[in-house]
Amino acid sequence: FPSHDNEQKVWYKVDELHPDYFIFLGDNIYGDTQNMAVLKAKYGQLGAKPGLQKVWEKTKILAVWDDHDYGVNDGGKEYPKKEESKQIFLDFFKVPAESERRKRPGIYDQIVIGEAGERVQFILLDCRTFRDKLCRVGKDEDCYGEYGKCEDTSKTMLGDAQWKWLEESLKVPADIRIVCTSTQFLVDFNGWEAWANFPHERERFMRLIEKTKANGLFFISGDVHYSEMSKLKRPNSYPLYDLTASGMTHGHSCAGENINRIHGAYMKPNFGWIDIDWKGKDTQISLKIISSEEGEVKIEHQIPLKELQF
């Protein structure tokens, strides 16, 4: 996440790499308000960053939100200003008037680019508008949060309409599918916000991938103020990966345990990088974490596309 009131030199490191797309994964500003004038002003601070303006001139920007730009810390469907906040979000990120995002509740969307054989689908999830309240278990500590795994299977992360939309989206023809989720998908459990708070919902997603035979899928996530890469093997699927890049301007002092972690954790400011090499016999996906300050690669993992196949 880039905090709206920092200098954000990170954008110059991003610009040096000449990305085709840049994906905001949430906490894009720290709004935390029910005052929409305040929220809009903080987006204005972000939009005024010269580095971001430079990137935006030549790079397609995609975005989802998390709790702080949604409007309330750790918030879900109970936030009373979600519709007003949505309009400010969509306007700031220049979402076209004809977009489906403007015609239905929430900000979820999917974008497909490229021709057959080199087709990439971005699945942009909304993990706030429809999400039920979390289950608290105690007081948070430096490395471990205050939330537990909810046993109530009626609680939802995405809501009925978004789940139905997601199933149809996973059937759309694509060679690579990048699922953009503001909170971590594969972290095992650390007490903070994640899909692990609703284990039945996470399992539902994984079974949906298996049901639809959606090849080429991996997750990218943010939120936790450090970066890592997680991997989970499934008996009826290809292995799932989750690259967590967080945050762009802030780090954290420690990371909780994660039995699915295969790289990291990297604790200093950073951003994620995805490179797809379609050339040669086998398509290769390179997932990286790059430091915001030095521009150095801190985490790197290569995934042959053939590994992400049923």
Side-chain angles (χ1 to χ4, degrees), residues 147-164:
Y147 303 115
K149 297 182 179 181
C150 293
E151 296 179 3
D152 182 353
T153 56
S154 70
K155 286 181 175 287
T156 185
M157 188 79 157
L158 301 182
D160 291 342
Q162 189 173 188
W163 272 117
K164 184 177 180 180

Side-chain angles (χ1 to χ4, degrees), residues 136-147:
R136 293 180 184 270
V137 295
K139 188 176 181 180
D140 62 299
E141 302 173 4
D142 285 344
C143 295
Y144 294 90
E146 60 190 304
Y147 303 115

